[in-house]
Structure formats: structure tokens, C-alpha cells
Amino acid sequence: MYQYSPPLSPREVLPTMYDLPSEDPEEPGLPDEFHLLQPELLRLTFRPPTYKEDQVFTASDLNLYYDSRHPQWYKRPDWFAVLGVSRLYDGQDLRLSYVTWQEGIYPFVVVELLSPGTEKEDLGRSFREVNQPPNKWTVYERMLRIPYYIVFNRYTDELQAFGLVVNEYQELSPQGVGIWLKEAELGLGLWEGIYQGVHRRWLRWYDGEGNWIPTPVEQERQRAELAQQQVEQERQQAENERQRAELAQQQVEQERQRAEQERQRAELAQQQVAQERQRAEQERQRAERLAAHLRSLGINPHEIELG
């Protein structure tokens, strides 16, 4: 081994998570962090509009028992949903597993997240050994006849969807943003965004109008934003009302000022009339005094005017 000066960091010389196996060879498919977050997002956004909340059961990494002749055989889907069954077993207990011959209703949709150790089985490419359980594909397609089977490769962001057509799975072509599941009135597509602080492409359910179903946290944030918008609207309306009241008050004040100006103009005109009348009266009095003075001198005022 070469010696470096200064020595390289362990990150540069020792194996990373990309070099070491992420699964137990004896138990392939055990969940890593993505296998915990992605099923949770599927659960939080799977809300079929025609089913009550307590009539939908979803599970991740839960044993699914499928053959009463071999009661120990099970599959462990990364995520699956059942429609029309009580969310609680017998309406009261959280399920320890899903036993199909006891429940009487099979899953409606299964989602498998591909991992290196389970890819062949997930895609039906593994061979069944004698006296060993069938692979997942066979169980979902032929034994449980699950209507929809979804496979997602997190490494390539490839979504593959299969629908049961005449007893066999056939690949479904995306429509719009994903795959539409008519019976549930929901679609499943790839949403790019931040969930639990991680930005990537996630599997997520959407409604008939193509809107991504919000999580409870997103709903609460939307309600808070809506409430804030309503508060802002009410504040703006109050401000508008205040401005209208001020404008009305200004208009009233302007009308009062105009009336006052009109009153003042009327008073001025009246004063001018009085002044003119007073001047006329003064002129008349002066004329009378002058006429009286002339008469006292023996002069006829009319003759002076005529002359």
C-alpha cells in the first residue's frame, strides 16, 4: 500500500456506504432509511375519496400471509393498501400481520422498492426452488390477483406499473403525471420535492385534477397560510374601510368649506348691497340738504338743474 504525506482521510481510503452491502445476505430487503420514508409518504397521501378513512388499511414491511395450505409462507411488501377493510383488526386491534384467509379481502395495490438483494424476485425473474415459496410476482399475480403492482427503482427513478389483465400482469403506460388507479380514484406518480428534509423524486398519490395529495403537515401549513391570508385580507379590508371613511370625512369637510365659502360670499354680497344702499341714502341726504340751502337763498333748485 502506498504511503501518503500527509495521510489521506478515512473517507478517501476506506470503503464507503456505496462499497459495502446495505442488506443482510441472510435477510435481503431489510429496510434502509429510504425504505422507511417512502412508504410513510405513500401512507400519508393515500386517501381514496370514495372510502372512509377507517375503511382503508395500509402497511409497510408487514408480513402478508397468502396461502392457507402453507400458513407459514408470507411475503413482506414494502407497502400495500387494502380497500373496504377495517383499519383495525376486528375493529379494535392494530394488526401484527395481514392474514388473507382471515381478512377475506386481498390487497388492492402493492408497491415494491427495488433493492439489490430483492430485484429479481420483485420483477419475477427468480426461479422457484422445490418446496420453497413462490416469488412475489407469482403470489401477487396468480394467487392474490392484486389489481395493481408498482415497482420503483430509487437509483434510476424508474417507475414501472403493472395491471392485472386477463389473469396476467401487463405493464401500464403512464397517463399524465403517473398511473391512474380508477377504482381508488387516485393516481400514483413521481413528485420532485422535499420530504423530511430530503430533496429527491418520491412516489406520491395525486387526485383526479392532478393535484398532489398533501400530507397532514402540509395540510396544517396550508391552513395556517390560508388563515394568514384571511387575516391579511381582513386587515386590508379594514385599511380600505378606514381610507374610505377618511375620504368621506374629507368630502364632508370639503362640502362644509364650500358651504362656508358660499355663506361668506352671500354675506359679502349682502354687505355690498347695504353699502350701496347706504351710499345712495347719503347721496339723497346731501341732495336734500343742498336743495334746502338753495331754497334758503331764494334759489329754486329745479331752475339750477334745468339751467
Side-chain angles (χ1 to χ4, degrees):
M1 178 179 295
Y2 292 103
Q3 297 294 324
Y4 295 92
S5 181
L8 297 178
S9 68
R11 188 180 183 88
E12 295 178 278
V13 298
L14 294 180
T16 70
M17 72 173 186
Y18 301 106
D19 305 313
L20 299 173
S22 61
E23 301 172 328
D24 184 344
E26 300 299 325
E27 291 189 73
L30 288 180
D32 56 16
E33 190 174 11
F34 176 77
H35 281 69
L36 297 176
L37 295 179
Q38 177 62 89
E40 181 68 5
L41 180 58
L42 289 173
R43 180 183 70 84
L44 292 174
T45 59
F46 185 76
R47 294 199 295 274
T50 55
Y51 287 86
K52 296 181 179 179
E53 185 177 354
D54 61 356
Q55 290 299 305
V56 175
F57 173 69
T58 65
S60 59
D61 204 32
L62 187 76
N63 285 3
L64 172 64
Y65 291 93
Y66 56 88
D67 191 344
S68 60
R69 297 169 300 176
H70 301 279
Q72 300 300 318
W73 287 1
Y74 66 87
K75 297 301 177 186
R76 202 173 177 88
D78 289 320
W79 186 87
F80 68 95
V82 188
L83 301 179
V85 69
S86 174
R87 188 177 71 85
L88 300 176
Y89 184 71
D90 284 343
Q92 59 184 5
D93 290 331
L94 294 171
R95 287 179 174 83
L96 303 174
S97 59
Y98 195 86
V99 184
T100 56
W101 59 84
Q102 294 290 343
E103 302 282 358
I105 300 178
Y106 292 168
F108 167 72
V109 58
V110 166
V111 175
E112 292 289 358
L113 308 173
L114 291 185
S115 59
T118 63
E119 181 174 356
K120 289 184 178 180
E121 182 179 2
D122 291 343
L123 295 176
R125 298 170 184 168
S126 61
F127 295 100
R128 178 181 183 181
E129 298 180 5
V130 178
N131 297 325
Q132 293 299 312
N135 60 30
K136 289 180 180 179
W137 182 285
T138 301
V139 171
Y140 300 159
E141 177 190 54
R142 301 180 185 178
M143 302 183 69
L144 296 182
R145 298 177 52 77
I146 297 174
Y148 296 96
Y149 179 35
I150 312 294
V151 178
F152 178 56
N153 188 331
R154 62 180 287 198
Y155 305 103
T156 62
D157 288 336
E158 182 182 7
L159 170 64
Q160 292 178 275
F162 303 91
L164 198 63
V165 180
V166 192
N167 301 325
E168 290 185 354
Y169 278 142
Q170 294 187 15
E171 189 163 4
L172 303 175
S173 300
Q175 299 176 348
V177 296
I179 304 298
W180 183 251
L181 282 61
K182 180 179 179 181
E183 298 85 346
E185 296 187 22
L186 289 176
L188 183 62
L190 288 179
W191 165 74
E192 184 170 350
I194 299 175
Y195 176 66
Q196 295 293 329
V198 180
H199 182 275
R200 60 161 292 118
R201 301 188 77 184
W202 301 90
L203 285 177
R204 184 167 186 160
W205 298 98
Y206 60 88
D207 63 21
E209 296 180 353
N211 301 312
W212 300 108
I213 305 295
T215 67
V217 171
E218 291 170 337
Q219 283 183 311
E220 189 59 34
R221 184 169 64 245
Q222 289 173 358
R223 281 193 289 268
E225 290 176 351
L226 180 60
Q228 182 62 33
Q229 290 174 1
Q230 291 174 339
V231 168
E232 179 60 25
Q233 289 175 353
E234 292 173 359
R235 188 197 65 77
Q236 186 63 44
Q237 289 173 352
E239 178 64 18
N240 292 340
E241 288 297 327
R242 186 189 66 78
Q243 292 177 355
R244 282 195 289 269
E246 288 184 354
L247 180 60
Q249 182 63 29
Q250 291 173 359
Q251 292 173 339
V252 168
E253 179 63 20
Q254 290 172 352
E255 290 297 326
R256 188 193 66 76
Q257 291 177 357
R258 280 195 291 269
E260 178 64 17
Q261 290 171 351
E262 289 296 326
R263 185 189 64 79
Q264 291 175 356
R265 280 195 291 270
E267 288 182 353
L268 180 61
Q270 188 175 5
Q271 291 173 0
Q272 290 173 342
V273 169
Q275 290 173 353
E276 290 295 327
R277 185 169 62 247
Q278 188 177 9
R279 281 195 295 271
E281 177 64 19
Q282 291 173 347
E283 289 295 328
R284 185 187 64 76
Q285 291 176 359
R286 280 196 297 270
E288 288 182 351
R289 286 194 298 270
L290 178 60
H293 178 67
L294 290 175
R295 282 194 296 270
S296 66
L297 297 176
I299 301 172
N300 188 349
H302 297 289
E303 293 178 352
I304 293 176
E305 291 176 1
L306 292 173

